[in-house]
Amino acid sequence: MQSEKQDPVNYYIGIDVGTASVRAALVDQSGTIVAHADQPIQIWEPQPDHYEQSSAEIWAACCTVTKKVIQQVDVAWIRGLGFDATCSLVVVDKQFQPLAVNYEGECKRNIIMWMDHRAASQVDRINGTQHSVLSYVGGVMSVEMQPPKLLWMKENLRESCWEKAGYFFDLPDFLSWKATGVTARSLCPLVCKWTYSPEKGWDDSFWKVIGLEDLVADKYEKIGNQVLSPGASVGNGLTPEAAKDLGLAEGTAVAASLIDAHAGGLGVIGADVKGYNLPCENQPVMSRLAVICGTSSCHMGISDAPIFVPGVWGPYYSAMVPGFWLNEGGQSATGKLIDHVVRGHVAFPELQAKAAASAQNIYTYLNSHLDLIKKSLPVGFLTVDLHVWPDFHGNRSPLADLTLKGMVVGLTLYQGLDELALIYLATIQAIALGTRHILETMQSAGHHISTLFLCGGLSKNPLFVQMHADITGKPIVLAKEVESVLVGSAILGACASGDFASIQEAMERMGKIGKIVQPNHRDKRFYDKKYEVFLKLVEHQREYKAIMQGV
């Protein structure tokens, strides 16, 4: 890859474990992705709201994709390795062997996924305590966090799982353990998903009041009593066994990890914006909101002092960028919702056939079809009589209401390709309206956000991006490298190697701007009206739920 006259380039490996696949990238010191590979991973859904995976399968996939991306480079030039992953819960016994998190006793299924909602009653009881730690998760704990899942296991799998468990890992921490043999945890998942405080550590009273006093008794060995900042070097780097598995050199630096959305934020939010005439130029990084949009979406805003935002997770200190407080809004189903709506429509087979015939993916074809039927009006105006409330999997932010459901208003008897394109558009708009709802809630609490930075799979869809610009009224920055999550995890590896003095320096050096998308301000009145309808939808849903209560 290098000519003989060139000095060796420093490379870093970023490994991202998403919901449905594992990806790896070889990234150079300027933040350019040189090689990329991915591999799907299995999801089990043994019953509604139960989602499970296998840590053994995930580690094997990490090894496969890493070996693919390093084929054309001397491994001696690979200076560091960073992991990010979904905030799923991995359970192993005292010998680090997988334990079943299911009634079937299938030990290979030892991960309760982030999107698993089995612990709904447990999280209700935890929120009922009104414990002070809840103020750092937006006032209400989500069912997607780890304490309710731990409590569910204790109450439902006591003998087969809870009493045999040696360690409970967040998936990003499991990967760094697998690579280094060190059980130290990253501050990021512990603060964001487990209620750990960077200043005070674990709060014994919280675990006791929710019925998990067992974790206190063993001094938190099972969930982590050694904590590292993201990007810090873990142990002595890769163990001989892990180095062989991954195809890398023994001792290669391994970084304390991040949750996947936080890695995306790291990969995009710190980019140098000079010369682009953006409102965030010459403003502190706190004026930026990173939106990581894939299966679900996360909205990451940072501040130099804690800001408490109702229904928005945080403030978390140093959970993404060291020295800054993080607030994290989110939508539990975005990419998954779009797929659900499109693939479940009766006209989907017709869409598939026509997209294949034109050698386009289904979403590129739908975008083109919308352009054909819009006539003289802006494409967004096609949904003047069609409105969607997008919480098909509950509301994460800013309402923090697991019980909310999806809604569609404006259906007709027509079921053709035009109607599929319109419901697709209305769904994208609903997701963007949800982002506006989160953004306005954060602004009301004290954030001052002028620019959105988007990354993740949905940021590849120009309609999705333009609707977010038009509906929020904010310019959108797209990273030069679409796979900003992988750049973010590579930044961790770069920091662990010692090649950069700080995460902030690595963010600025390795994060690059690709494209700016401006809002169409002429359409502001239309989207203000759509937003009014959007907020009315949830009012009506709560009204009819109140009417039906007790029936």
Side-chain angles (χ1 to χ4, degrees):
M1 298 177 66
Q2 307 298 317
S3 70
E4 291 182 6
K5 294 182 180 180
Q6 286 180 306
D7 291 330
V9 174
N10 290 335
Y11 293 102
Y12 314 98
I13 300 289
I15 298 177
D16 165 52
V17 180
T19 300
S21 66
V22 174
R23 304 179 303 156
L26 180 69
V27 182
D28 70 19
Q29 59 206 19
S30 68
T32 300
I33 293 179
V34 177
H36 170 270
D38 63 86
Q39 179 164 313
I41 49 177
Q42 189 167 355
I43 298 171
W44 287 270
E45 187 182 358
Q47 55 185 288
D49 285 334
H50 288 229
Y51 295 94
E52 297 165 6
Q53 288 182 316
S54 162
S55 65
E57 182 193 13
I58 286 172
W59 177 251
C62 289
C63 298
T64 299
V65 292
T66 301
K67 287 177 177 176
K68 286 180 180 178
V69 300
I70 63 174
Q71 288 177 355
Q72 302 301 318
V73 69
D74 185 339
V75 296
W77 296 347
I78 298 173
R79 302 269 299 149
L81 168 66
F83 291 100
D84 73 77
T86 63
C87 48
S88 299
L89 179 61
V90 184
V91 186
V92 295
D93 65 17
K94 294 176 179 64
Q95 287 74 46
F96 297 97
Q97 296 304 304
L99 282 173
V101 295
N102 48 72
Y103 294 118
E104 295 82 7
E106 287 283 348
C107 286
K108 71 176 180 180
R109 288 158 38 200
N110 68 317
I111 296 177
I112 298 179
M113 290 184 68
W114 66 271
M115 62 184 182
D116 186 291
H117 285 187
R118 70 181 69 183
S121 67
Q122 286 77 14
V123 81
D124 283 346
R125 279 181 273 141
I126 290 171
N127 287 324
T129 68
Q130 298 185 346
H131 195 280
S132 60
V133 301
L134 300 179
S135 64
Y136 287 88
V137 292
V140 180
M141 180 167 282
S142 167
V143 70
E144 294 173 7
M145 294 180 178
Q146 309 303 12
K149 294 173 181 174
L150 293 169
L151 187 56
W152 183 91
M153 282 188 284
K154 182 175 180 179
E155 293 177 350
N156 291 272
L157 302 174
R158 189 175 190 119
E159 291 185 8
S160 63
C161 180
W162 182 258
E163 293 178 352
K164 294 179 179 179
Y167 301 91
F168 300 102
F169 286 104
D170 222 275
L171 182 52
D173 288 327
F174 169 82
L175 297 171
S176 61
W177 163 75
K178 193 73 176 167
T180 65
V182 176
T183 61
R185 308 306 208 273
S186 168
L187 189 65
C188 173
L190 285 199
V191 169
C192 297
K193 307 300 176 186
W194 299 72
T195 75
Y196 184 84
S197 165
E199 296 90 2
K200 302 174 184 177
W202 296 112
D203 188 320
D204 294 357
S205 65
F206 170 71
W207 297 100
K208 289 175 181 176
V209 78
I210 69 169
L212 293 177
E213 62 283 345
D214 342 26
L215 300 176
V216 182
D218 72 357
K219 299 179 180 177
Y220 300 102
E221 183 181 359
K222 290 183 179 180
I223 61 173
N225 51 22
Q226 181 187 357
V227 184
L228 300 172
S229 293
S233 183
V234 181
N236 297 314
L238 287 178
T239 64
E241 182 182 2
K244 182 179 179 182
D245 288 347
L246 293 161
L248 298 171
E250 180 182 343
T252 300
V254 176
S257 56
L258 282 173
I259 299 167
D260 54 351
H262 300 64
L266 203 67
V268 69
I269 202 171
D272 184 358
V273 298
K274 289 184 178 67
Y276 289 91
N277 197 30
L278 288 163
C280 63
E281 187 174 349
N282 300 318
Q283 296 294 317
V285 72
M286 292 90 78
S287 64
R288 309 175 183 190
L289 184 75
V291 184
I292 299 86
C293 32
T295 303
S296 62
S297 289
C298 295
H299 305 71
M300 323 289 266
I302 60 177
S303 55
D304 54 7
I307 299 175
F308 293 86
V309 186
V312 172
W313 297 343
Y316 303 132
Y317 185 66
S318 290
M320 184 172 78
V321 182
F324 288 91
W325 295 83
L326 171 70
N327 283 107
E328 180 186 349
Q331 296 162 293
S332 293
T334 49
K336 186 176 179 65
L337 175 60
I338 294 168
D339 277 352
H340 172 77
V341 168
V342 170
R343 294 176 184 276
H345 197 278
V346 69
F348 179 67
E350 180 187 354
L351 168 64
Q352 268 190 311
K354 289 186 173 179
S358 61
Q360 294 177 307
N361 71 52
I362 57 173
Y363 296 114
T364 302
Y365 187 89
L366 281 173
N367 293 349
S368 300
H369 191 76
L370 286 166
D371 283 335
L372 287 175
I373 64 176
K374 72 176 184 177
K375 298 179 181 176
S376 61
L377 290 173
V379 68
F381 287 32
L382 287 167
T383 60
V384 65
D385 293 321
L386 183 61
H387 310 281
V388 173
W389 179 263
D391 291 330
F392 285 48
H393 200 50
N395 183 281
R396 186 189 297 173
S397 305
L399 303 177
D401 187 346
L402 176 63
T403 69
L404 287 175
K405 304 291 190 291
M407 301 172 70
V408 181
V409 175
L411 294 174
T412 71
L413 290 174
Y414 296 105
Q415 294 182 307
L417 189 56
D418 286 2
E419 286 68 41
L420 170 51
L422 290 177
I423 192 65
Y424 159 71
L425 171 60
T427 302
I428 285 178
Q429 289 175 331
I431 293 167
L433 290 162
T435 290
R436 176 169 169 173
H437 198 192
I438 292 166
L439 177 62
E440 290 190 357
T441 303
M442 293 177 71
Q443 304 263 54
S444 297
H447 282 276
H448 301 284
I449 294 161
S450 65
T451 311
L452 306 187
F453 286 66
L454 260 63
C455 67
L458 290 176
S459 71
K460 301 173 189 177
N461 184 333
L463 180 67
F464 184 90
V465 175
Q466 190 65 59
M467 287 298 104
H468 274 70
D470 293 350
I471 286 169
T472 64
K474 307 289 185 188
I476 288 178
V477 176
L478 299 175
K480 180 181 178 184
E481 295 289 353
V482 176
E483 305 295 353
S484 294
V485 175
L486 286 165
V487 173
S489 54
I491 284 172
L492 295 175
C495 291
S497 73
D499 290 347
F500 294 94
S502 66
I503 279 186
Q504 287 92 328
E505 181 192 349
M507 284 166 56
E508 189 167 336
R509 293 268 298 278
M510 295 177 70
K512 297 288 189 297
I513 289 178
K515 184 180 179 183
I516 311 296
V517 177
Q518 296 288 351
N520 294 310
H521 292 296
R522 70 180 187 276
D523 301 338
K524 181 179 184 301
R525 185 174 179 275
F526 177 81
Y527 290 116
D528 285 348
K529 294 296 184 184
K530 286 281 289 188
Y531 189 55
E532 277 188 56
V533 174
F534 182 78
L535 297 179
K536 285 288 184 186
L537 290 177
V538 73
E539 281 184 33
H540 291 322
Q541 182 171 164
R542 285 175 162 170
E543 286 171 5
Y544 77 64
K545 285 173 71 176
I547 292 169
M548 298 303 294
Q549 193 170 13
V551 173

